[in-house]
Amino acid sequence: MSNIKIFCPATIANLNCGFDVMGLCLETIGDEMIFRKSPTKGIKITKITGAELPFEIDKNVAGVAALAILNNYEKDFNPVSFGIEIEIHKKIKTGSGIGSSAASAAGAVFGVNEILGKPYSKSELVHFAMKGEAIASGSEHADNVTPCLLGGFTLVRGYDPLDIIKIESPNELFAVVLHPHIEIKTSDARAVLEPMISLKNAIKQWGNLGGLIAGLYMKDYEIISRSLEDVIIEPLRKGLIPNFDKVKNSALKNGALGAGISGAGPSIFALCKGSSIAKNVAKAMENTYLKTNIPFDIHISKVNDEGVKII
Amino acid sequence: MSNIKIFCPATIANLNCGFDVMGLCLETIGDEMIFRKSPTKGIKITKITGAELPFEIDKNVAGVAALAILNNYEKDFNPVSFGIEIEIHKKIKTGSGIGSSAASAAGAVFGVNEILGKPYSKSELVHFAMKGEAIASGSEHADNVTPCLLGGFTLVRGYDPLDIIKIESPNELFAVVLHPHIEIKTSDARAVLEPMISLKNAIKQWGNLGGLIAGLYMKDYEIISRSLEDVIIEPLRKGLIPNFDKVKNSALKNGALGAGISGAGPSIFALCKGSSIAKNVAKAMENTYLKTNIPFDIHISKVNDEGVKII
């Protein structure tokens, strides 16, 4: 393939009980990227719309990720005789907490892999995408790039070695995401975390994570609902998000299975069974936030089982 | 039914990454109990073999559990016009770390439930069995009584409300249990635990628990194997069990998927795919322990998917 356009979905990481390990993929929110073979060797970013991002390859999340896979390919297989031009059309707002940088990183490795003739599986691409993520967040992590690449619900079991697992899930799950237009600095979101936690709370959290994964496999919405609880991170971080409790409560009152902070915030997510409940929940969350003076946008999306794809 | 004999299986709690929440049920080790209707109302323990245990109902794990279900039945349904006599034949050594008291508690509620005409499901029985467990351990917990009652692998998601989940698992899993004949006081096993743990290790642990549950559903032995790791409790408790590391390493070297402390110890368990690997692993663990002067016994058992049953 010498010319492709792809969709790079937004993602929700953590999912309350799965801090740093769980994530899910969205369907209605995502960036678009275009990849073209070019006669000039190397990676070149030719166009960026929707965000102010650097064109220098080594400073751009997509550039770094694209270079990581290209260099690795040349080491594993053959030198590449052509170059690849990339256009990045951002639709996911940076700093929204729904995997904006992960979409760029995952999109870049997916696109380059297609142009190279698919030498790597989607799972193998996670490793390269993490190199791009590191530019955005300062550390290589996989909790957004994994669901963006694989789709559905994913678990990062561990990093040594990198071990990613796609979790089977029921097909009626919808997410609502409310993105308040405020900035939470990554440093602030990290500073509120406690390096030590109580064993008692940790047991609650891993009981819930076990419940969430079992509930997804069993397609048992009640278990999923009871498991979507965060006794460790949410109490520390929710203060950074104005009206978090009100939005969460309005989601739960209107039938959401669970609600919480998407990634490091500020977006607030709710998980729902079926689109009609999701619409009611979105309306309730929206009404709650309209009472503040903070601008926001809101999205409803089915959980996207496919992940990044050619369009 | 007016006269039944039951088998009350031994269980392994924790399973490395699932401290206080996971457990599995064994097939070849377990107590036997006999239940008889009698004209004299109430619960009476008429015979105990295999262990020195009190006959007083309120001091005996099985007695307390039996009374809990009987009293509850009379409150929920009708007064009972007969009594129930219980014989307890202990085969599981007390203090071995493979759910000896849980077998008595679970057996008692299962047997009484049968005599009463099965008014409660096995899942509902967990609550009553926990009352018996509290006599033995000082607190109501469910990580051994749940697998004893339900069989297979089980997760206690949480206690408020009590939420127990049977985890689907592949049918080729075997456990090896080596029980060194030493006593670890519950107070000592608890005293070594740290009330605070690092968030970093907690994330590793819940990643592994998620991996274990996903691996069981996926019947993926490699994921199960990589997930059977305990970065929190084992490092603190293993010093209480002489030669723990040597036994664990001999199990892993001989093909075990994982190995660790059974419950609060002193028993050491290994999980294996298939009976022939289990036999090799048992032999290796045995050879390692023969070099010590500590007497021990060793068991090989398929994971028992049925749990407590009438024989």
Side-chain angles (χ1 to χ4, degrees), chain A residues 25-93:
Chain A
C25 186
L26 297 171
E27 194 166 80
T28 56
I29 326 162
D31 298 342
E32 288 176 10
M33 295 174 82
I34 293 169
F35 298 81
R36 268 186 219 97
K37 269 192 187 176
S38 88
T40 318
K41 281 187 168 196
I43 301 289
K44 189 178 177 190
I45 296 169
T46 55
K47 195 172 181 182
I48 299 173
T49 66
E52 300 267 328
L53 296 170
F55 281 79
E56 296 97 312
I57 296 303
D58 60 346
K59 287 179 186 157
N60 182 296
V61 166
V64 170
L67 211 57
I69 175 172
L70 186 64
N71 288 343
N72 212 79
Y73 176 85
E74 295 198 308
K75 217 171 60 189
D76 284 357
F77 303 100
N78 306 307
V80 175
S81 59
F82 54 87
I84 298 172
E85 292 179 355
I86 304 177
E87 288 184 22
I88 304 168
H89 302 285
K90 294 298 292 178
K91 310 275 170 92
I92 311 168
K93 294 194 177 77

Side-chain angles (χ1 to χ4, degrees), chain A residues 13-14 16 234 237-238 241 244 259-265 267-269:
Chain A
N14 297 344
N16 289 5
E234 183 180 295
R237 277 192 174 162
K238 67 180 185 178
I241 305 166
F244 172 82
I261 302 169
S262 177
S267 283
I268 304 167
F269 82 97

Side-chain angles (χ1 to χ4, degrees), chain A residues 17-21 155-158 161 163-167 193-215 217-218 222-223 226-227 229 232-233, chain B residues 17-21 155-158 161 163-167 193-215 217-218 222-223 226-227 229 232-233:
Chain A
C17 53
F19 181 69
D20 262 9
V21 301
L155 170 75
V156 183
R157 187 200 60 81
D163 200 0
I164 53 173
I165 303 168
K166 180 157 177 177
I167 307 296
L193 297 182
E194 305 276 0
M196 300 296 285
I197 63 174
S198 76
L199 178 60
K200 209 176 135 193
N201 276 342
I203 293 166
K204 274 192 196 169
Q205 198 92 342
W206 62 59
N208 280 325
L209 180 64
L212 176 59
I213 290 177
Y217 275 104
M218 297 164 79
E222 293 188 8
I223 294 178
R226 290 195 295 269
S227 303
E229 189 192 16
I232 293 173
I233 310 298
Chain B
C17 53
F19 181 68
D20 262 9
V21 301
L155 170 75
V156 183
R157 186 200 60 81
D163 202 0
I164 53 174
I165 302 167
K166 180 157 176 176
I167 307 296
L193 297 182
E194 304 276 0
M196 300 297 285
I197 64 174
S198 75
L199 178 60
K200 208 176 138 193
N201 276 342
I203 292 166
K204 275 191 195 168
Q205 197 91 342
W206 64 58
N208 280 324
L209 180 64
L212 176 59
I213 291 178
Y217 275 103
M218 297 163 78
E222 292 187 11
I223 294 178
R226 290 195 295 269
S227 303
E229 188 192 17
I232 294 173
I233 310 297

Side-chain angles (χ1 to χ4, degrees), chain B residues 9-252:
Chain B
T11 46
I12 299 173
N14 298 343
L15 299 177
N16 288 5
C17 53
F19 181 68
D20 262 9
V21 301
M22 286 295 291
L24 68 76
C25 186
L26 298 170
E27 194 165 81
T28 55
I29 326 162
D31 297 341
E32 287 175 12
M33 295 174 82
I34 293 169
F35 298 79
R36 268 185 219 98
K37 269 193 187 176
S38 87
T40 316
K41 283 186 170 196
I43 302 290
K44 190 178 177 190
I45 297 168
T46 55
K47 196 172 179 182
I48 299 173
T49 66
E52 301 266 329
L53 296 169
F55 281 80
E56 296 97 311
I57 296 303
D58 61 345
K59 289 180 185 156
N60 182 295
V61 166
V64 169
L67 210 58
I69 175 173
L70 186 65
N71 288 342
N72 211 81
Y73 176 84
E74 295 199 308
K75 218 172 58 189
D76 284 357
F77 302 100
N78 305 307
V80 176
S81 59
F82 53 86
I84 299 172
E85 292 179 356
I86 304 178
E87 289 184 21
I88 304 168
H89 302 285
K90 293 298 293 179
K91 311 275 170 94
I92 311 168
K93 294 193 179 75
T94 55
S96 52
I98 50 170
S100 180
S101 61
S104 293
V109 298
F110 177 81
V112 171
N113 191 51
E114 291 288 326
I115 296 284
L116 292 173
K118 286 202 194 187
Y120 301 108
S121 71
K122 274 187 164 187
S123 295
E124 288 170 326
L125 296 181
V126 172
H127 171 73
F128 306 123
M130 284 166 64
K131 304 288 174 191
E133 265 286 56
I135 294 291
S137 71
S139 71
E140 289 189 17
H141 61 102
D143 44 348
N144 285 100
V145 294
T146 305
C148 184
L149 282 163
L150 304 190
F153 286 79
T154 58
L155 170 75
V156 183
R157 186 200 60 81
Y159 287 91
D160 189 22
L162 178 65
D163 202 0
I164 53 174
I165 302 167
K166 180 157 176 176
I167 307 296
E168 209 178 291
S169 61
N171 57 16
E172 286 179 277
L173 286 173
F174 284 73
V176 180
V177 176
L178 185 145
H179 171 214
H181 294 181
I182 58 165
E183 192 197 350
I184 297 180
K185 284 187 188 146
T186 309
S187 54
D188 289 345
R190 286 206 189 142
V192 295
L193 297 182
E194 304 276 0
M196 300 297 285
I197 64 174
S198 75
L199 178 60
K200 208 176 138 193
N201 276 342
I203 292 166
K204 275 191 195 168
Q205 197 91 342
W206 64 58
N208 280 324
L209 180 64
L212 176 59
I213 291 178
L216 290 170
Y217 275 103
M218 297 163 78
K219 307 191 192 318
D220 185 318
Y221 294 96
E222 292 187 11
I223 294 178
I224 293 170
S225 178
R226 290 195 295 269
S227 303
L228 282 170
E229 188 192 17
D230 176 1
V231 298
I232 294 173
I233 310 297
E234 182 180 294
L236 301 172
R237 278 194 173 161
K238 68 180 185 178
L240 301 171
I241 305 167
N243 289 80
F244 172 83
D245 281 333
K246 282 185 186 161
V247 176
K248 178 174 173 166
N249 289 337
S250 69
L252 296 178

Side-chain angles (χ1 to χ4, degrees), chain A residues 244-282:
Chain A
F244 172 82
D245 281 332
K246 283 185 186 164
V247 176
K248 178 174 173 166
N249 290 337
S250 70
L252 296 178
K253 257 189 224 156
N254 284 274
L257 298 168
I261 302 169
S262 177
S267 283
I268 304 167
F269 82 97
L271 202 63
C272 306
K273 182 187 174 185
S275 68
S276 69
I277 293 176
K279 280 175 200 160
N280 287 341
V281 165

Side-chain angles (χ1 to χ4, degrees), chain B residues 246-247 250-251 254 279-289:
Chain B
K246 282 185 186 161
V247 176
S250 69
N254 283 273
K279 280 176 199 160
N280 287 342
V281 165
K283 197 77 210 150
M285 290 167 75
E286 188 173 355
N287 285 339
T288 307
Y289 233 72

